[in-house]
Amino acid sequence: MFAPFYAAIADISATIRRHRDRLGRPVIGVLPAYFPLELIHAAGGYPVQLWGAGVAIDHAEAYLQPYCCSVARSVLELEMRGSAGLIQAYVFTSLCDTLINLRELYRRLFDKPILGLSFPVTQFAEGRRAFLADAAEKIIKGLEAVTGRRVSADALRAAAGQFGRVRSLQRELYRLRRERPGAIKNADFHAVLKAGFFLPVDEYGRLLEDLLVRLESIAAPAGRRPRLILSGMVFDPLEAQRLFDEVGADVVDDDFASGWRTVSKATLPVDDPVEGIATHVFGGAPCCCIHHPEKDRHDYLVKKIRDAGADGVVFWYVKFCEPDAFDRPQLLARLKQEGIPATVLEMDLSMKSVESLRTRIQAFCEMIGGLEI
Amino acid sequence: MTQLGAFKKMKELMTLYYIEAKTAADKPVAWLTSGAPVEFVYAMGAVPVYPENYAAMCAASHQSVALMEAAEAAGFSQDICAYARTDFGQDLVRGGPAGGLPAPHFLVCSTNICKTVIKWYEVVARKYQVPLFVVDTPFLHDGLTPGLVDYVVAQFRQLERFLESMLKKPFDRDRLIEVIRLSRQATGLWRKILDLGRTVPVPFTSLDAFIHIAPIVTLRGTPACVDYYQLLYDEVSGLAERRVGSVSDERYRVLWDNLPIWFKMRPFEKFFGERRCALVAATYANSWGGLEDFAGIQTRDAMEALAVSYLNIYINYGFAQRIRYLARLIDEFGLTGFIMHSNRSCKPYSVGMYRLKEELSRLTGKPGVVIEADQNDPRVFGDAQVEARLDTFIESMAPAA
Ligand code: SF4
Ligand code: SF4
C-alpha cells in the first residue's frame, strides 16, 4: 500500500528528474517553511521541499559552523557536493535567523536565482498587508523570471485547488491515524508525508486518494498501546520514526512544522493574493517560528493531546534550533501541571545511528505504561 | 586601554541608572531589546531596562556562568543565545552586579538585531503575563526601501497607542520630538568619538568603546547621556590632538566584527597591547552611531528619520552591503586586517561569516581571521586555540604605514 511513497523517497533525485522531464517545469527548492507552494506551481515551477537530509556534513563545514542546525547544514551540503543539480532556483522564508543568513550566503555562493519571502512580524493587519503587498509582488516577479511564465489568476486558482486538495487528503490521513491508533505504522505515515516533499502535486494527490481508499476498511489493532504526540520542527530522520513501531507505541498526532503545522493550512485564498499569503503564513496550527500572540501554543498542545487521547508528548529536538528550544521549558512546565508526561529527544539529521533514541523512547513508554513486553 | 577620566562618571551614571530602575516604584518598567526605539518609552515616562546590557555586565563581572547554569537547570538549552540564558538566570536567582532586574510591566522588542529576541521576549511575556510589543524592522536583503520605512513608521504609530494603554495617558508627541533630538545628539557624539579612530595612533580603541557603550544603549534620549558623551568626546579628542595612543607603540590596526567577548576584556587588552595591535573599529560599537548613508532615502520628518536609523543596523544588512561597509571601514580607518568573532550565541552575526571573511580579504587584500567564541559563555572559549589563531593572524599582517 505504501510502496509508491517509499519508492518516491528511495532515490529522491531520480524521482524529481523523472517528474521534471514529464512536466517540463523547472525545479525550485523551497526551504523551511510555509512558503505558499501554490505560487511556484502557478508560475509553472515544480516545487520541492527541503527540510534537511541525513547526509554527512563535509563541504558545508567550510561555511556553516557546527552550532548551526543540521537542517541548514545538510541542505547546503547537498548543493555544495553537487547533489542538488536538478534544483534551478531556491526560495527562502524568514523563518529564523539561520535561514535569513543562509539566504544571503546562497546569494554569495551560487549562481542560481535565490528568491525570498520575508514574513512580517507585526500584529497589525494593515502593516502586514502593506509589507506583504511589496513582498508578494517581488516574489511573484522573481518566480516568473525563473520559469519564464506569468502567474495568471486562473493558474493560481487551479494551483490553490490542487494543493488545497492535497492538504485536505493529508488531513484525512491524520484523522485516520488519530481515530484508529496503530492502523498505520508510524514509519509508513511519515514516508507518505515525506514523499509529498518531492512528488509533484498531481501525482501526489493521485497516490494519496488511492491510499485513502485502500485504508478505508483498515482497523486499529486490538489492545491499547502507549499513545504519543510528537512535537518539533522536522520529523526526520525517518529511520528514527520507525523506532516507535518497533518499540510498540502509537503516534497518534503531531506538532511538526514539516507535518501538521503545514498540513493544517487551509486552501490558499486567491481572490486577493496578498491576503492569501497572510492567511497561509499566519493561519493553521501555531508554530514557534511565527509570532502570534492570539495563538497560544500551550493551550493548543494541551487540547491536541486531549483530543487525540494521547498519553504523552515526545519533543523531537533538532539540535541548535533556537525557536524550538526557547519554547520548551515553559511548555514542559505546563504539561507537567496538566499531568501530561513528556520527554525530549535531541537529534541531528546527520546522525549516523538512531539507536540511542530507541532506549529513550522505550524508557518513556515504559514510564507511561501499557507497553506489551 | 586608555585610562579615561570619564570612566568614573560612567560608573556613577550606570549605578544611578540601575538604582533608579530598581526603585522606580511609581513608574512602569519596560524591558527593551538594544535596538528597540526607546525614545517612545522615555517620552512617556516609563523606565526602560535592557536585559542585554545587564547580561553583558554579568559576563564582564564574571557572573554569567552561574546565571546561565541556573537557566540551564530550569531546562533552557545551551543552544540558545547566552544573553537570553543569562537573563533567564538573573531572573530566577536575582543575581548579577545589580542583584537582578526589576520585573517588567510590558516589553518592547525589535527585530533589527535578530529574530531570537522574539522568542526570548515571548518567554518573559509568558512568565510575567505582560504584553509584548514587537517593532518589526525587517532584514535588509535588498537594502533600504521607502516601503520599509513606511512599514516601520506605521508600527511607531501603533507603539504610541500601545504606550497610551500601558501608561494610561495620551501620547506626548512634543515630548517625543524632544527625546528624539536628545537621542540623535548622543548618537551623533558617539559616532564622532568612534570616528576619532581614524587618528594614528588610535586614542580610543574598540575595547575602550565596548567599556563606554553602556550609556548609549541604555540612556540615549536623556540629557545625562548627551552630557556624558560630550565629556567623553572632549577627553578623547584631546588625546587625539596630542597623539596619545590607547595601545603603546601601535603597529597594527584591526577591525573587530561581532559582539565583544565580555568575559575577556582585560585579558584581551593585555594580549593585544603586548602585540602592539589596536582594535580600531567595531561593527558592534558602530551600531549605535548611524551607519550607511542610503542614497535615495529622503526622510520627511523625525519619525521617518528614526525608522531609518532603526532599520540601518549592521546585522540587519544583507551580505553585499555588509561587505561594502566593512571594506569602507578598512579603507577609511587605515586598517591592516580584521578579526571576525564567530559567536556561538549570535547566529545573525555569525552564520555566513566564513564567506564574508573570504570575500572581504579578496576585496581589500587584507588578512582576516575568524575565531570561535561566545560573547557571554566562557565555557565554550578555548584560550590556547583562540590565542594561537590570533597570533598567526597578527604575524600575517603588514604593519600600518
Ligand atoms: S531547524 Fe530551526 S534553526 Fe534550523 S532552519 Fe529550521 S527553524 Fe531554523
Ligand atoms: S547576541 Fe545575537 S542572538 Fe543574542 S540577542 Fe543579541 S543579536 Fe540576538
Side-chain angles (χ1 to χ4, degrees):
Chain A
M1 222 179 321
F2 296 96
F5 300 98
Y6 279 107
I9 56 177
D11 185 344
I12 291 168
S13 292
T15 302
I16 297 173
R17 182 175 298 110
R18 182 158 48 84
H19 290 289
R20 180 203 57 182
D21 294 347
R22 171 175 69 86
L23 298 166
R25 288 166 169 259
V27 180
I28 298 183
V30 185
L31 281 103
Y34 315 133
F35 185 85
L37 305 177
E38 290 84 344
L39 294 179
I40 298 176
H41 188 82
Y46 168 10
V48 299
Q49 301 175 54
L50 307 171
W51 292 96
V55 291
I57 305 304
D58 176 16
H59 301 74
E61 199 74 66
Y63 294 116
L64 286 182
Q65 296 91 329
Y67 55 76
C68 300
C69 74
S70 48
V71 171
R73 274 161 61 96
S74 61
V75 173
L76 178 64
E77 176 68 26
L78 292 177
E79 178 64 49
M80 288 186 73
R81 63 158 72 165
S83 303
L86 291 167
I87 293 177
Q88 269 178 250
Y90 285 96
V91 172
F92 284 78
T93 64
S94 58
L95 205 65
C96 66
D97 290 326
T98 300
L99 287 170
I100 289 173
N101 278 33
L102 192 67
R103 171 174 164 191
E104 288 296 315
L105 183 60
Y106 271 51
R107 293 170 86 179
R108 306 307 299 179
L109 287 176
F110 310 122
D111 290 332
K112 299 179 180 183
I114 308 299
L115 311 177
L117 174 67
S118 297
F119 299 153
V121 192
T122 177
Q123 284 106 285
F124 302 99
E126 269 168 58
R128 251 184 211 173
R129 230 200 114 75
F131 179 84
L132 279 175
D134 271 3
E137 196 188 307
K138 259 208 191 115
I139 188 74
I140 290 172
K141 281 214 181 96
L143 289 169
E144 289 174 341
V146 171
T147 61
R149 306 236 309 252
R150 292 297 304 267
V151 176
S152 70
D154 286 345
L156 190 56
R157 190 172 311 280
Q162 279 183 292
F163 283 80
R165 170 99 185 113
V166 157
R167 287 197 294 274
S168 93
L169 293 168
Q170 288 175 320
R171 289 196 289 271
E172 202 44 37
L173 192 68
Y174 267 82
R175 191 179 60 77
L176 278 178
R177 174 170 76 159
R178 213 166 39 237
E179 291 176 358
R180 303 179 207 168
I184 307 170
K185 284 209 171 66
N186 195 46
D188 296 344
F189 183 89
H190 288 98
V192 173
L193 287 190
K194 189 161 179 162
F197 299 165
F198 310 111
L199 286 172
V201 65
D202 59 343
E203 170 84 356
Y204 188 52
R206 261 195 305 280
L207 291 177
L208 276 177
E209 274 169 10
D210 192 42
L211 176 70
L212 286 167
V213 171
R214 287 156 185 260
L215 285 174
E216 237 162 53
S217 54
I218 202 161
R224 194 185 190 289
R225 314 198 300 171
R227 293 182 183 170
L228 304 174
I229 282 190
L230 311 182
S231 173
M233 286 306 293
V234 298
F235 60 71
D236 276 299
L238 201 59
E239 316 86 79
Q241 292 295 344
R242 189 180 304 282
L243 297 173
F244 293 97
D245 300 321
E246 292 169 5
V247 163
D250 294 328
V251 174
V252 286
D253 209 341
D254 74 56
D255 170 41
F256 280 123
S258 66
W260 183 253
R261 293 184 206 167
T262 296
V263 168
S264 60
K265 305 232 178 244
T267 298
L268 186 77
V270 289
D271 288 340
D272 174 351
V274 174
E275 212 49 53
I277 295 174
T279 311
H280 188 80
V281 173
F282 297 99
C287 174
C288 53
C289 292
I290 305 288
H291 176 66
H292 202 318
E294 286 97 63
K295 273 194 183 169
D296 186 81
R297 280 194 76 204
H298 289 206
D299 294 345
Y300 167 81
L301 202 63
V302 170
K303 182 171 183 310
K304 191 177 192 69
I305 294 159
R306 304 254 189 260
D307 288 352
D311 306 311
V313 181
V314 176
F315 287 97
W316 198 255
Y317 176 53
V318 173
K319 277 288 284 170
F320 306 111
C321 175
E322 288 189 77
D324 194 31
F326 264 98
D327 280 5
R328 202 170 324 105
Q330 289 179 325
L331 256 175
L332 283 168
R334 170 71 186 273
L335 294 175
K336 194 166 174 198
Q337 218 176 29
E338 302 277 347
I340 300 167
T343 190
V344 184
L345 299 184
E346 283 198 0
M347 65 202 70
D348 179 327
L349 299 188
S350 308
M351 67 206 290
K352 288 201 184 70
S353 157
V354 296
E355 277 312 303
S356 58
L357 301 175
R358 180 192 302 275
T359 6
R360 305 284 316 275
I361 295 171
Q362 178 104 29
F364 183 61
C365 292
E366 279 166 14
M367 197 265 282
I368 289 174
L371 270 196
E372 293 168 29
I373 311 168
Chain B
M1 231 173 282
T2 316
Q3 290 304 320
L4 293 159
F7 181 68
K8 202 167 140 270
K9 176 80 192 146
M10 186 196 64
K11 280 271 178 201
E12 281 169 24
L13 203 59
M14 292 309 292
T15 308
L16 200 66
Y17 162 71
Y18 274 102
I19 291 174
E20 279 183 357
K22 291 197 67 161
T23 53
D26 55 330
K27 290 184 186 170
V29 169
W31 284 17
L32 272 75
T33 58
S34 59
V38 63
E39 291 79 3
F40 293 83
V41 174
Y42 271 126
M44 287 295 269
V47 180
V49 162
Y50 292 85
E52 287 158 72
N53 172 254
Y54 190 61
M57 274 171 58
C58 292
S61 56
H62 304 285
Q63 300 180 57
S64 61
V65 174
L67 300 178
M68 286 187 286
E69 281 172 355
E72 289 156 15
F76 288 99
S77 165
Q78 283 205 17
D79 298 348
I80 68 176
C81 167
Y83 268 177
R85 270 180 288 145
T86 306
D87 179 50
F88 296 154
Q90 69 78 21
D91 201 37
L92 284 166
V93 303
R94 321 283 337 134
L101 292 176
H105 295 93
F106 63 91
L107 313 168
V108 183
C109 146
S110 183
T111 57
N112 48 11
I113 52 168
C114 61
K115 292 270 185 288
T116 300
V117 287
I118 301 173
K119 300 310 298 172
W120 173 357
Y121 278 55
E122 282 176 355
V123 169
V124 179
R126 190 181 289 277
K127 171 166 179 180
Y128 283 101
Q129 291 293 304
V130 292
L132 161 60
F133 190 97
V134 180
V135 180
D136 187 24
T137 34
F139 190 94
L140 305 179
H141 286 288
D142 298 299
L144 191 52
T145 60
L148 288 173
V149 177
D150 291 346
Y151 174 57
V152 173
V153 169
Q155 294 176 77
F156 285 168
R157 304 276 182 229
Q158 299 288 354
L159 177 58
E160 293 180 351
R161 303 288 85 75
F162 173 79
L163 291 170
E164 284 178 340
S165 76
M166 290 297 109
L167 287 124
K168 301 186 180 54
K169 61 179 184 186
F171 191 81
D172 190 340
R173 193 62 74 71
D174 294 337
R175 179 89 192 97
L176 175 70
I177 299 300
E178 172 59 13
V179 175
I180 292 177
R181 194 183 59 77
L182 290 168
S183 172
R184 301 222 138 230
Q185 246 180 303
T187 50
L189 284 163
W190 179 242
R191 184 173 185 158
K192 269 171 69 184
I193 295 166
L194 297 176
D195 276 346
L196 291 171
R198 291 162 205 257
T199 320
V200 180
V202 59
F204 185 79
T205 66
S206 303
L207 292 175
D208 295 315
F210 298 156
I211 288 177
H212 292 267
I213 207 169
I216 198 70
V217 179
T218 55
L219 291 165
R220 65 180 186 281
T222 67
C225 188
V226 177
D227 294 346
Y228 171 68
Y229 285 110
Q230 186 63 55
L231 185 79
L232 185 62
Y233 176 75
D234 292 344
E235 198 175 352
V236 176
S237 59
L239 294 173
E241 267 163 38
R242 301 198 306 279
R243 297 277 182 246
V244 179
S246 180
V247 165
S248 69
D249 212 5
E250 174 185 300
R251 187 173 160 87
Y252 305 107
R253 297 167 60 82
V254 306
L255 174 122
W256 176 271
D257 186 41
N258 210 312
L259 273 73
I261 300 172
W262 290 113
F263 52 89
K264 282 287 166 197
M265 296 294 285
R266 293 278 162 214
F268 267 7
E269 178 195 359
K270 184 161 173 290
F271 179 90
F272 287 111
E274 283 169 0
R275 285 153 183 81
R276 298 165 59 193
C277 177
L279 307 187
V280 174
T283 52
Y284 172 75
N286 290 359
S287 294
W288 286 269
L291 302 172
E292 293 255 63
D293 301 316
F294 288 96
I297 295 287
Q298 305 263 317
T299 53
R300 284 166 298 195
D301 58 23
M303 288 287 231
E304 288 192 357
L306 200 67
V308 169
S309 59
Y310 280 109
L311 283 159
N312 187 4
I313 286 184
Y314 177 77
I315 47 171
N316 208 35
Y317 289 175
F319 285 5
Q321 199 179 343
R322 285 191 195 188
I323 292 166
R324 257 200 320 273
Y325 179 68
L326 294 171
R328 204 181 86 199
L329 288 179
I330 288 175
D331 177 41
E332 290 181 1
F333 285 78
L335 305 183
T336 54
F338 60 94
I339 300 172
M340 292 183 148
H341 164 201
S342 161
N343 181 353
R344 188 183 185 279
S345 269
C346 189
K347 301 208 167 68
Y349 234 133
S350 310
V351 173
M353 179 173 259
Y354 282 87
R355 178 62 185 181
L356 294 181
K357 183 206 158 218
E358 281 175 7
E359 292 202 35
L360 190 59
S361 271
R362 203 180 305 144
L363 186 66
T364 62
K366 303 293 178 197
V369 67
V370 178
I371 55 168
E372 290 292 335
D374 188 289
Q375 91 255 14
N376 249 44
D377 194 344
R379 295 169 300 176
V380 300
F381 189 87
D383 280 287
Q385 197 198 3
V386 170
E387 287 183 8
R389 295 210 73 167
L390 288 174
D391 268 327
T392 313
F393 159 69
I394 292 171
E395 279 158 24
S396 74
M397 271 187 295

